[in-house]
Amino acid sequence: MITPLYKEFQAKPSKPEGAHTGLWFDRFFNQYATDWTLDSSAKDSCAKKAWIKKVVGLTGDTKKLETFNHRQIALVAQLKGASQRYTSDWHFVTGMGNSHPVENGFSWHPTLAVPFLTGASVKGLVRAWVEMNDEGLSEELKAARLKSWFGTEKKGDVAEQAGDFVFFDALPDAPPQLACDIMTPHMGKWYSDGDQARLSDSTTIPADWHEPVPVPFLVVKKTSLVFHIAPRKKDPQAELEQVFYALNQALEWLGAGAKTAAGYGYMSEDTRYSEDLKTKLAEQQARQEKEQALKAKLADLSPLAQDYFRQADEGDWQNNKDKFLQAGLIEGWLDTLEENLDATILADMIQLLDLHIRGLLQDPDKVKGKPGKEKPVYKERQRKIAHRINDLR
């Protein structure tokens, strides 16, 4: 491609650092010949390969992908759905039917710059498995399942209802590795003009005398995608496991994306991810319940007391003696209480001090040892704190 600039500035630009890989791949192809065409010559084939190699390697941002997946998992959990990660057995490719100068396009997430499967693709994959392979069901039950899960019994039907499940986009949770693969079709013009084939024209007849034509295309090396499915209503919750079972089978036996007949796109469930996710969701649920309980506890307290109890909660003063007794902490709160006394805060500080230093408040100046050689039981700082608290009572 000739850039309309002065000759010394006509060098083909490279992808800017941090640029969206998908946008660069889709919109900035610069390997055209001088007449703005790409033919089937060897030179142009190399040009396609050169363009694909401009985007191979890792794509996407680790932190952004993690953040996106955490939000998606939280959303799906709130909807009483489930998330599951599947790892590809080999290469994976998606969106090959998209238009592109190198003949085979690619599906990029519009903001995260990673290959992905749309929710519609995931839904279609599960439906394909139910239609073709759910042999445990009678025809009537299968038709009822198709209508309830996907909204229609047949793909061509006009949907009169929404399906019972929401299928979300499936994305990797870490930057995937892109690579360049080569296919070598050798069927002549059979695929493009085969419907008009004549015996007198050997170029349109599929046969082994045709020369292979190397075609480079972009693929994802072994990667993992996180799938999310949620029930649209509460009632189908019990069927969610069956939907995921169908997804498991579809990914294992049908494969996702393109070129599944050549072994691309087959995936297996990452069972460890499920167990880790259950643990994380349980911890998250516990944190939410704790936060709600804290909010209820603080609802009727003064703003000053709310600050105190939030600090106490974050430092776990009830169980962490060192955090509660850290230098300057109690003294700071006593300075505040001496100017603006809050009985709730004072009562809690008394309770914590009794818990962590038993007997201090009752007798701060207590001594031990033989007569004439007595020594204070408590340290000087502890005695000062006890006297200030007792003065506030």
Side-chain angles (χ1 to χ4, degrees):
M1 167 179 169
I2 298 176
T3 309
L5 292 172
Y6 294 108
K7 191 174 182 180
E8 57 267 34
F9 297 110
Q10 287 183 356
K12 294 177 180 177
S14 300
K15 184 168 81 71
E17 186 176 353
H20 189 296
T21 309
L23 184 63
W24 175 257
F25 181 79
D26 282 344
R27 301 297 183 189
F28 293 92
F29 181 81
N30 59 8
Q31 303 294 316
Y32 287 110
T34 54
D35 58 356
W36 295 89
T37 62
L38 278 176
D39 57 28
S40 57
S41 69
K43 181 181 178 182
D44 286 327
S45 294
C46 290
K48 295 174 186 176
K49 188 175 180 180
W51 177 248
I52 291 173
K53 287 196 170 183
K54 286 179 178 290
V55 298
V56 299
L58 293 175
T59 183
D61 182 273
T62 301
K63 190 173 182 181
K64 289 178 181 176
L65 287 172
E66 288 178 354
T67 302
F68 177 86
N69 271 289
H70 288 162
R71 289 176 179 170
Q72 199 82 324
I73 288 169
L75 170 65
V76 173
Q78 191 67 27
L79 295 173
K80 308 298 181 186
S83 304
Q84 179 57 273
R85 182 166 67 184
Y86 292 85
T87 301
S88 62
D89 299 340
W90 190 52
H91 291 179
F92 162 71
V93 61
T94 175
M96 288 190 74
N98 295 347
S99 178
H100 194 277
V102 301
E103 294 186 49
N104 299 290
F106 205 72
S107 283
W108 301 91
H109 191 274
T111 58
L112 296 171
V114 291
F116 77 119
L117 285 173
T118 64
S121 298
V122 179
K123 181 179 179 180
L125 182 63
V126 177
R127 178 172 188 128
W129 174 261
V130 175
E131 287 179 339
M132 294 189 297
N133 300 287
D134 214 342
E135 298 175 350
L137 297 176
S138 66
E139 289 302 317
E140 289 183 353
L141 289 176
K142 184 183 292 186
R145 171 167 290 185
L146 288 169
K147 188 166 186 177
S148 65
W149 283 13
F150 310 106
T152 59
E153 292 181 18
K154 298 179 181 177
K155 286 184 179 177
D157 292 348
V158 177
E160 298 177 349
Q161 65 182 58
D164 289 340
F165 296 93
V166 180
F167 297 84
F168 293 80
D169 294 344
L171 276 81
D173 56 353
Q177 182 85 20
L178 302 177
C180 179
D181 262 10
I182 305 289
M183 66 175 91
T184 53
H186 52 279
M187 291 295 175
K189 297 181 180 178
W190 168 248
Y191 290 116
S192 59
D193 301 330
D195 57 340
Q196 301 173 0
R198 299 186 305 274
L199 290 177
S200 58
D201 184 2
S202 61
T203 63
T204 58
I205 299 174
D208 56 6
W209 59 67
H210 297 295
E211 292 187 3
V213 181
V215 178
F217 62 102
L218 189 63
V219 301
V220 189
K221 281 191 171 181
K222 191 172 182 179
T223 186
S224 297
L225 299 180
V226 183
F227 291 73
H228 314 270
I229 303 173
R232 198 177 297 277
K233 303 173 184 176
K234 290 184 178 179
D235 293 343
Q237 175 73 32
E239 290 184 285
L240 189 59
E241 289 187 11
Q242 295 176 335
V243 178
F244 265 99
Y245 174 78
L247 177 63
N248 286 1
Q249 297 299 304
L251 288 171
E252 184 175 353
W253 296 102
L254 300 181
K259 293 185 71 63
T260 53
Y264 291 69
Y266 291 91
M267 301 186 186
S268 304
E269 180 183 353
D270 183 349
T271 53
R272 184 172 179 178
Y273 177 83
S274 298
E275 296 301 320
D276 292 345
L277 187 57
K278 284 180 183 177
T279 304
K280 289 179 182 177
L281 289 175
E283 293 173 351
Q284 182 180 345
Q285 179 70 19
R287 285 196 299 272
Q288 290 176 346
E289 291 176 355
K290 184 180 178 182
E291 177 63 21
Q292 289 174 354
L294 182 62
K295 282 184 177 179
K297 176 183 176 182
L298 303 182
D300 298 328
L301 300 182
S302 67
L304 184 63
Q306 290 184 12
D307 288 343
Y308 169 85
F309 281 104
R310 283 207 171 275
Q311 192 175 350
D313 180 71
E314 290 172 4
D316 193 21
W317 293 350
Q318 189 74 26
N319 301 305
N320 193 328
K321 178 181 177 180
D322 293 337
K323 284 276 188 180
F324 175 65
L325 295 174
Q326 61 183 293
L329 176 70
I330 302 178
E331 289 87 343
W333 277 106
L334 286 174
D335 291 343
T336 301
L337 293 180
E338 285 165 357
E339 294 180 2
N340 184 18
L341 182 61
D342 187 305
T344 308
I345 297 176
L346 182 61
D348 192 72
M349 292 185 70
I350 291 172
Q351 183 265 328
L352 289 173
L353 212 55
D354 279 338
L355 174 68
H356 294 309
I357 310 178
R358 189 177 298 278
L360 172 64
L361 291 175
Q362 289 72 30
D363 187 2
D365 299 318
K366 184 178 179 180
V367 295
K368 63 179 180 181
K370 296 179 180 178
K373 295 184 179 180
E374 299 93 341
K375 292 183 179 179
V377 173
Y378 305 107
K379 296 177 182 176
E380 182 180 357
R381 176 181 174 238
Q382 296 171 347
R383 296 199 304 273
K384 287 182 178 178
I385 290 172
H387 283 299
R388 291 179 70 180
I389 288 180
N390 287 335
D391 291 343
L392 287 171
R393 292 194 190 208

